[in-house]
Structure formats: C-alpha cells, structure tokens
Amino acid sequence: MTYKIMVVDDDPITRMDLREMLKDEGYQVVKECKNGEEAVQQCLALKPDLIIMDVKMPILNGIKAAKVIRKKLDTAILLLTAYSQRELIEDAKESGVTAYLVKPVTELDLIPAIEIAMSQKQQFECLSRDLQFLKKKLEERQLIEKAKGKIMESRVMTEEQSYQWMRKYSMKNRIALVTVAKFILQQPGAIGDVFLVRE
C-alpha cells in the first residue's frame, strides 16, 4: 500500500535523505516542511497517513507540533531525535506519537518503523470503528427497550409480548426495529391508533 507521508525537519539535507529513502521504497512524499508550525498548517490540508518529524526545530518543535496535530487528525507520527533521554521519551508518549527513531536514521531503521507505525494506526482505526458500531447498537437497544416500555403501558403486555409485537410490525412493514422504536417514542399516540390500524 502507498502511504502519503509528510517529512518535517529544519535541515534540508535530512529532508532530502529521507525523501530519497522513502521514494526508493515506493512511499509518496506529499510535502516537506521546515518547522512544526508549517507542519500543522499543511497536515490539515493534505491529511497525510504518516508524518516523519524532527524533535528539535525552530518556531514549534516536533513534540509540541505532534500534540496539536493529534488533537485535529488521526495521523501516525514518527519522531526523529538526536537524543534518547528518558524525559524525551515520556514527552513523546504524552504527545501521542506512534514511535520515535534516534538519528542518524538509516533505511534499515526507517522502513520497519514506518510499517509498524502504520500497522498500529490501522489497528487503532479498526478498534475505533468497532467501538462506534457497538455504541450505535447500544443506543438502538436502549431506544427499543424504552419503546417496549411504552407498549407495555399502553397495551397491557408483557415485555416479551411487546417485543414480539414490535418485531411483527417491523417485519410486516419492512422497516428496521429501531425505526419502529423511534416512531413510538416520538409519537406515543401512534401506539393506540396508527399502529393498531396497520396490525
């Protein structure tokens, strides 16, 4: 898969080296930036899959830029640094970066780090989608439960009877059960007239 990558470093030689390594491996370099502020502006427009960014830069350093970017975009960020102090590692973790590499960076270091970063990003996106799906299903279930309660009150039915009544209506009219539930909750009078007419 071809990932869109942004390279951010105040050193033009480093940017050139990274660009060449990435292009040799078939990655698409969508933009090169010379500082964190420029990276923040450009990433909002280009929405890269991955940002490879130096830590020490003028105007806005890599860690601060990463914090801003991660609040706005779900983009993987790979930090480059000449240092490996524990404090830096903690700051990098808090800023939401996916990984970091210590300079000088070689192709043997860079390519596996990119693949791991992108794999983690995809796993996170998959989990996020699953979470959204489960949240939606839970909200639907809550609506159905509330609608069942309304039917139980209005039609003097047991919980099971009210559910089967809704289900039968849903299947007969070829509409989703949650749509039936929303209609019941939005128009309580429908339980006694519109619904009865269509049974």
mmCIF file of all heavy atoms in Angstrom, residues 54-88:
data_model
loop_
_atom_site.group_PDB
_atom_site.id
_atom_site.type_symbol
_atom_site.label_atom_id
_atom_site.label_comp_id
_atom_site.label_asym_id
_atom_site.label_seq_id
_atom_site.Cartn_x
_atom_site.Cartn_y
_atom_site.Cartn_z
ATOM 1 N N ASP A 54 11.170 15.835 12.925
ATOM 2 C CA ASP A 54 12.275 16.048 13.850
ATOM 3 C C ASP A 54 11.749 16.660 15.141
ATOM 4 O O ASP A 54 10.727 17.345 15.145
ATOM 5 C CB ASP A 54 13.303 16.982 13.201
ATOM 6 C CG ASP A 54 14.589 17.083 14.007
ATOM 7 O OD1 ASP A 54 14.904 16.128 14.749
ATOM 8 O OD2 ASP A 54 15.274 18.116 13.910
ATOM 9 N N VAL A 55 12.441 16.406 16.237
ATOM 10 C CA VAL A 55 12.023 16.979 17.523
ATOM 11 C C VAL A 55 12.502 18.424 17.643
ATOM 12 O O VAL A 55 11.726 19.335 17.913
ATOM 13 C CB VAL A 55 12.568 16.144 18.706
ATOM 14 C CG1 VAL A 55 12.335 16.875 20.021
ATOM 15 C CG2 VAL A 55 11.887 14.784 18.754
ATOM 16 N N LYS A 56 13.785 18.636 17.422
ATOM 17 C CA LYS A 56 14.370 19.962 17.650
ATOM 18 C C LYS A 56 14.277 20.810 16.385
ATOM 19 O O LYS A 56 15.011 20.586 15.416
ATOM 20 C CB LYS A 56 15.829 19.804 18.091
ATOM 21 C CG LYS A 56 16.413 21.059 18.705
ATOM 22 C CD LYS A 56 17.789 20.800 19.270
ATOM 23 C CE LYS A 56 18.374 22.063 19.898
ATOM 24 N NZ LYS A 56 19.740 21.841 20.390
ATOM 25 N N MET A 57 13.326 21.769 16.413
ATOM 26 C CA MET A 57 13.125 22.669 15.271
ATOM 27 C C MET A 57 12.752 24.050 15.782
ATOM 28 O O MET A 57 12.202 24.183 16.876
ATOM 29 C CB MET A 57 11.986 22.152 14.367
ATOM 30 C CG MET A 57 12.291 20.862 13.631
ATOM 31 S SD MET A 57 10.919 20.411 12.534
ATOM 32 C CE MET A 57 9.624 20.054 13.714
ATOM 33 N N PRO A 58 13.015 25.102 14.981
ATOM 34 C CA PRO A 58 12.629 26.458 15.394
ATOM 35 C C PRO A 58 11.115 26.664 15.302
ATOM 36 O O PRO A 58 10.406 25.868 14.694
ATOM 37 C CB PRO A 58 13.363 27.342 14.379
ATOM 38 C CG PRO A 58 13.533 26.478 13.164
ATOM 39 C CD PRO A 58 13.713 25.078 13.693
ATOM 40 N N ILE A 59 10.651 27.725 15.930
ATOM 41 C CA ILE A 59 9.241 28.175 15.956
ATOM 42 C C ILE A 59 8.370 27.224 16.770
ATOM 43 O O ILE A 59 7.806 27.595 17.782
ATOM 44 C CB ILE A 59 8.657 28.379 14.537
ATOM 45 C CG1 ILE A 59 9.542 29.354 13.735
ATOM 46 C CG2 ILE A 59 7.217 28.924 14.634
ATOM 47 C CD1 ILE A 59 9.117 29.551 12.295
ATOM 48 N N LEU A 60 8.231 25.965 16.311
ATOM 49 C CA LEU A 60 7.428 24.980 17.032
ATOM 50 C C LEU A 60 8.120 23.629 16.912
ATOM 51 O O LEU A 60 8.291 23.114 15.808
ATOM 52 C CB LEU A 60 6.014 24.910 16.417
ATOM 53 C CG LEU A 60 4.963 24.102 17.182
ATOM 54 C CD1 LEU A 60 4.638 24.757 18.530
ATOM 55 C CD2 LEU A 60 3.697 23.967 16.348
ATOM 56 N N ASN A 61 8.565 23.074 18.051
ATOM 57 C CA ASN A 61 9.308 21.819 17.978
ATOM 58 C C ASN A 61 8.387 20.636 17.663
ATOM 59 O O ASN A 61 7.157 20.745 17.678
ATOM 60 C CB ASN A 61 10.144 21.579 19.251
ATOM 61 C CG ASN A 61 9.292 21.249 20.468
ATOM 62 O OD1 ASN A 61 8.272 20.551 20.398
ATOM 63 N ND2 ASN A 61 9.714 21.753 21.617
ATOM 64 N N GLY A 62 8.989 19.484 17.397
ATOM 65 C CA GLY A 62 8.245 18.309 16.964
ATOM 66 C C GLY A 62 7.246 17.782 17.969
ATOM 67 O O GLY A 62 6.151 17.357 17.598
ATOM 68 N N ILE A 63 7.601 17.815 19.247
ATOM 69 C CA ILE A 63 6.693 17.293 20.278
ATOM 70 C C ILE A 63 5.465 18.188 20.422
ATOM 71 O O ILE A 63 4.328 17.702 20.475
ATOM 72 C CB ILE A 63 7.431 17.116 21.622
ATOM 73 C CG1 ILE A 63 8.404 15.930 21.519
ATOM 74 C CG2 ILE A 63 6.445 16.890 22.766
ATOM 75 C CD1 ILE A 63 9.295 15.709 22.709
ATOM 76 N N LYS A 64 5.682 19.506 20.451
ATOM 77 C CA LYS A 64 4.546 20.434 20.558
ATOM 78 C C LYS A 64 3.664 20.356 19.309
ATOM 79 O O LYS A 64 2.437 20.387 19.403
ATOM 80 C CB LYS A 64 5.048 21.861 20.776
ATOM 81 C CG LYS A 64 5.613 22.078 22.179
ATOM 82 C CD LYS A 64 6.117 23.491 22.352
ATOM 83 C CE LYS A 64 6.704 23.676 23.761
ATOM 84 N NZ LYS A 64 7.301 25.014 23.919
ATOM 85 N N ALA A 65 4.307 20.253 18.151
ATOM 86 C CA ALA A 65 3.550 20.141 16.898
ATOM 87 C C ALA A 65 2.734 18.852 16.884
ATOM 88 O O ALA A 65 1.581 18.841 16.449
ATOM 89 C CB ALA A 65 4.497 20.184 15.704
ATOM 90 N N ALA A 66 3.331 17.770 17.380
ATOM 91 C CA ALA A 66 2.630 16.478 17.429
ATOM 92 C C ALA A 66 1.374 16.571 18.285
ATOM 93 O O ALA A 66 0.323 16.032 17.924
ATOM 94 C CB ALA A 66 3.562 15.394 17.964
ATOM 95 N N LYS A 67 1.469 17.263 19.421
ATOM 96 C CA LYS A 67 0.306 17.430 20.309
ATOM 97 C C LYS A 67 -0.833 18.138 19.589
ATOM 98 O O LYS A 67 -1.994 17.738 19.688
ATOM 99 C CB LYS A 67 0.700 18.227 21.558
ATOM 100 C CG LYS A 67 1.460 17.416 22.588
ATOM 101 C CD LYS A 67 1.786 18.268 23.807
ATOM 102 C CE LYS A 67 2.595 17.464 24.824
ATOM 103 N NZ LYS A 67 3.018 18.297 25.961
ATOM 104 N N VAL A 68 -0.493 19.211 18.867
ATOM 105 C CA VAL A 68 -1.503 19.990 18.136
ATOM 106 C C VAL A 68 -2.121 19.140 17.025
ATOM 107 O O VAL A 68 -3.348 19.091 16.871
ATOM 108 C CB VAL A 68 -0.884 21.277 17.530
ATOM 109 C CG1 VAL A 68 -1.900 22.019 16.667
ATOM 110 C CG2 VAL A 68 -0.355 22.178 18.627
ATOM 111 N N ILE A 69 -1.283 18.458 16.273
ATOM 112 C CA ILE A 69 -1.752 17.651 15.137
ATOM 113 C C ILE A 69 -2.648 16.516 15.603
ATOM 114 O O ILE A 69 -3.712 16.266 15.026
ATOM 115 C CB ILE A 69 -0.550 17.105 14.323
ATOM 116 C CG1 ILE A 69 0.154 18.264 13.600
ATOM 117 C CG2 ILE A 69 -1.005 16.037 13.313
ATOM 118 C CD1 ILE A 69 1.518 17.919 13.041
ATOM 119 N N ARG A 70 -2.252 15.833 16.675
ATOM 120 C CA ARG A 70 -3.022 14.674 17.142
ATOM 121 C C ARG A 70 -4.404 15.066 17.678
ATOM 122 O O ARG A 70 -5.317 14.257 17.697
ATOM 123 C CB ARG A 70 -2.243 13.920 18.221
ATOM 124 C CG ARG A 70 -1.013 13.203 17.708
ATOM 125 C CD ARG A 70 -1.357 12.014 16.838
ATOM 126 N NE ARG A 70 -1.986 10.980 17.638
ATOM 127 C CZ ARG A 70 -2.876 10.104 17.177
ATOM 128 N NH1 ARG A 70 -3.271 10.163 15.937
ATOM 129 N NH2 ARG A 70 -3.377 9.191 17.958
ATOM 130 N N LYS A 71 -4.545 16.332 18.092
ATOM 131 C CA LYS A 71 -5.867 16.810 18.527
ATOM 132 C C LYS A 71 -6.806 17.018 17.346
ATOM 133 O O LYS A 71 -8.017 16.957 17.479
ATOM 134 C CB LYS A 71 -5.728 18.131 19.301
ATOM 135 C CG LYS A 71 -5.210 17.947 20.713
ATOM 136 C CD LYS A 71 -5.049 19.282 21.400
ATOM 137 C CE LYS A 71 -4.426 19.103 22.781
ATOM 138 N NZ LYS A 71 -4.113 20.400 23.422
ATOM 139 N N LYS A 72 -6.214 17.262 16.168
ATOM 140 C CA LYS A 72 -7.007 17.587 14.984
ATOM 141 C C LYS A 72 -7.148 16.416 14.013
ATOM 142 O O LYS A 72 -8.155 16.305 13.317
ATOM 143 C CB LYS A 72 -6.374 18.772 14.239
ATOM 144 C CG LYS A 72 -6.326 20.049 15.065
ATOM 145 C CD LYS A 72 -5.522 21.123 14.351
ATOM 146 C CE LYS A 72 -5.320 22.348 15.218
ATOM 147 N NZ LYS A 72 -6.515 23.149 15.380
ATOM 148 N N LEU A 73 -6.129 15.568 13.946
ATOM 149 C CA LEU A 73 -6.122 14.484 12.961
ATOM 150 C C LEU A 73 -5.685 13.160 13.570
ATOM 151 O O LEU A 73 -4.867 13.130 14.485
ATOM 152 C CB LEU A 73 -5.140 14.804 11.821
ATOM 153 C CG LEU A 73 -5.499 15.875 10.804
ATOM 154 C CD1 LEU A 73 -4.338 16.063 9.849
ATOM 155 C CD2 LEU A 73 -6.762 15.521 10.038
ATOM 156 N N ASP A 74 -6.215 12.074 13.013
ATOM 157 C CA ASP A 74 -5.788 10.742 13.424
ATOM 158 C C ASP A 74 -4.656 10.296 12.495
ATOM 159 O O ASP A 74 -4.809 9.398 11.672
ATOM 160 C CB ASP A 74 -6.976 9.771 13.351
ATOM 161 C CG ASP A 74 -6.610 8.390 13.849
ATOM 162 O OD1 ASP A 74 -5.657 8.282 14.638
ATOM 163 O OD2 ASP A 74 -7.251 7.417 13.417
ATOM 164 N N THR A 75 -3.532 10.980 12.607
ATOM 165 C CA THR A 75 -2.376 10.723 11.748
ATOM 166 C C THR A 75 -1.256 10.107 12.576
ATOM 167 O O THR A 75 -0.993 10.543 13.688
ATOM 168 C CB THR A 75 -1.877 12.053 11.126
ATOM 169 O OG1 THR A 75 -2.914 12.602 10.318
ATOM 170 C CG2 THR A 75 -0.646 11.845 10.274
ATOM 171 N N ALA A 76 -0.610 9.080 12.028
ATOM 172 C CA ALA A 76 0.539 8.480 12.718
ATOM 173 C C ALA A 76 1.717 9.449 12.655
ATOM 174 O O ALA A 76 1.936 10.094 11.633
ATOM 175 C CB ALA A 76 0.904 7.151 12.066
ATOM 176 N N ILE A 77 2.441 9.561 13.754
ATOM 177 C CA ILE A 77 3.597 10.465 13.802
ATOM 178 C C ILE A 77 4.824 9.704 14.275
ATOM 179 O O ILE A 77 4.803 9.058 15.321
ATOM 180 C CB ILE A 77 3.331 11.666 14.733
ATOM 181 C CG1 ILE A 77 2.133 12.477 14.228
ATOM 182 C CG2 ILE A 77 4.576 12.561 14.831
ATOM 183 C CD1 ILE A 77 1.687 13.603 15.137
ATOM 184 N N LEU A 78 5.880 9.802 13.483
ATOM 185 C CA LEU A 78 7.156 9.169 13.790
ATOM 186 C C LEU A 78 8.163 10.283 14.056
ATOM 187 O O LEU A 78 8.480 11.065 13.167
ATOM 188 C CB LEU A 78 7.594 8.305 12.603
ATOM 189 C CG LEU A 78 8.907 7.540 12.687
ATOM 190 C CD1 LEU A 78 8.923 6.578 13.856
ATOM 191 C CD2 LEU A 78 9.162 6.801 11.387
ATOM 192 N N LEU A 79 8.620 10.392 15.309
ATOM 193 C CA LEU A 79 9.563 11.465 15.668
ATOM 194 C C LEU A 79 11.005 11.033 15.441
ATOM 195 O O LEU A 79 11.368 9.883 15.696
ATOM 196 C CB LEU A 79 9.391 11.856 17.133
ATOM 197 C CG LEU A 79 8.228 12.771 17.518
ATOM 198 C CD1 LEU A 79 8.306 13.105 18.994
ATOM 199 C CD2 LEU A 79 8.192 14.047 16.699
ATOM 200 N N LEU A 80 11.799 11.999 14.998
ATOM 201 C CA LEU A 80 13.239 11.780 14.839
ATOM 202 C C LEU A 80 13.961 12.662 15.854
ATOM 203 O O LEU A 80 13.615 13.826 16.027
ATOM 204 C CB LEU A 80 13.690 12.183 13.429
ATOM 205 C CG LEU A 80 12.986 11.521 12.254
ATOM 206 C CD1 LEU A 80 13.554 12.051 10.946
ATOM 207 C CD2 LEU A 80 13.135 10.007 12.314
ATOM 208 N N THR A 81 14.953 12.095 16.508
ATOM 209 C CA THR A 81 15.685 12.871 17.510
ATOM 210 C C THR A 81 17.146 12.447 17.579
ATOM 211 O O THR A 81 17.487 11.309 17.260
ATOM 212 C CB THR A 81 15.031 12.704 18.901
ATOM 213 O OG1 THR A 81 15.818 13.405 19.867
ATOM 214 C CG2 THR A 81 14.942 11.245 19.313
ATOM 215 N N ALA A 82 17.965 13.385 17.978
ATOM 216 C CA ALA A 82 19.383 13.068 18.167
ATOM 217 C C ALA A 82 19.629 12.613 19.593
ATOM 218 O O ALA A 82 20.737 12.246 19.968
ATOM 219 C CB ALA A 82 20.234 14.300 17.868
ATOM 220 N N TYR A 83 18.574 12.617 20.411
ATOM 221 C CA TYR A 83 18.708 12.283 21.824
ATOM 222 C C TYR A 83 17.825 11.091 22.177
ATOM 223 O O TYR A 83 16.856 10.803 21.507
ATOM 224 C CB TYR A 83 18.293 13.480 22.693
ATOM 225 C CG TYR A 83 18.884 14.786 22.224
ATOM 226 C CD1 TYR A 83 18.135 15.642 21.417
ATOM 227 C CD2 TYR A 83 20.181 15.152 22.565
ATOM 228 C CE1 TYR A 83 18.676 16.839 20.961
ATOM 229 C CE2 TYR A 83 20.717 16.335 22.111
ATOM 230 C CZ TYR A 83 19.966 17.185 21.315
ATOM 231 O OH TYR A 83 20.501 18.354 20.864
ATOM 232 N N SER A 84 18.152 10.430 23.266
ATOM 233 C CA SER A 84 17.313 9.299 23.700
ATOM 234 C C SER A 84 17.086 9.339 25.210
ATOM 235 O O SER A 84 16.968 8.315 25.854
ATOM 236 C CB SER A 84 17.965 7.976 23.304
ATOM 237 O OG SER A 84 19.247 7.861 23.893
ATOM 238 N N GLN A 85 17.044 10.564 25.785
ATOM 239 C CA GLN A 85 16.824 10.688 27.218
ATOM 240 C C GLN A 85 15.413 10.231 27.596
ATOM 241 O O GLN A 85 14.487 10.338 26.809
ATOM 242 C CB GLN A 85 16.980 12.151 27.689
ATOM 243 C CG GLN A 85 18.366 12.708 27.493
ATOM 244 C CD GLN A 85 18.395 13.618 26.282
ATOM 245 O OE1 GLN A 85 17.777 13.328 25.272
ATOM 246 N NE2 GLN A 85 19.137 14.705 26.392
ATOM 247 N N ARG A 86 15.301 9.755 28.837
ATOM 248 C CA ARG A 86 14.016 9.250 29.328
ATOM 249 C C ARG A 86 12.939 10.334 29.300
ATOM 250 O O ARG A 86 11.787 10.069 28.972
ATOM 251 C CB ARG A 86 14.217 8.751 30.780
ATOM 252 C CG ARG A 86 13.030 8.025 31.366
ATOM 253 C CD ARG A 86 12.859 6.654 30.754
ATOM 254 N NE ARG A 86 11.481 6.218 30.830
ATOM 255 C CZ ARG A 86 10.985 5.204 30.154
ATOM 256 N NH1 ARG A 86 11.748 4.531 29.327
ATOM 257 N NH2 ARG A 86 9.729 4.850 30.271
ATOM 258 N N GLU A 87 13.309 11.567 29.631
ATOM 259 C CA GLU A 87 12.355 12.676 29.659
ATOM 260 C C GLU A 87 11.738 12.901 28.283
ATOM 261 O O GLU A 87 10.537 13.128 28.146
ATOM 262 C CB GLU A 87 13.056 13.957 30.133
ATOM 263 C CG GLU A 87 12.115 15.131 30.321
ATOM 264 C CD GLU A 87 12.850 16.393 30.751
ATOM 265 O OE1 GLU A 87 13.950 16.290 31.316
ATOM 266 O OE2 GLU A 87 12.296 17.472 30.508
ATOM 267 N N LEU A 88 12.573 12.797 27.257
ATOM 268 C CA LEU A 88 12.111 12.977 25.886
ATOM 269 C C LEU A 88 11.118 11.873 25.502
ATOM 270 O O LEU A 88 10.093 12.125 24.879
ATOM 271 C CB LEU A 88 13.303 12.970 24.918
ATOM 272 C CG LEU A 88 12.944 13.031 23.441
ATOM 273 C CD1 LEU A 88 12.342 14.367 23.083
ATOM 274 C CD2 LEU A 88 14.156 12.749 22.584
#
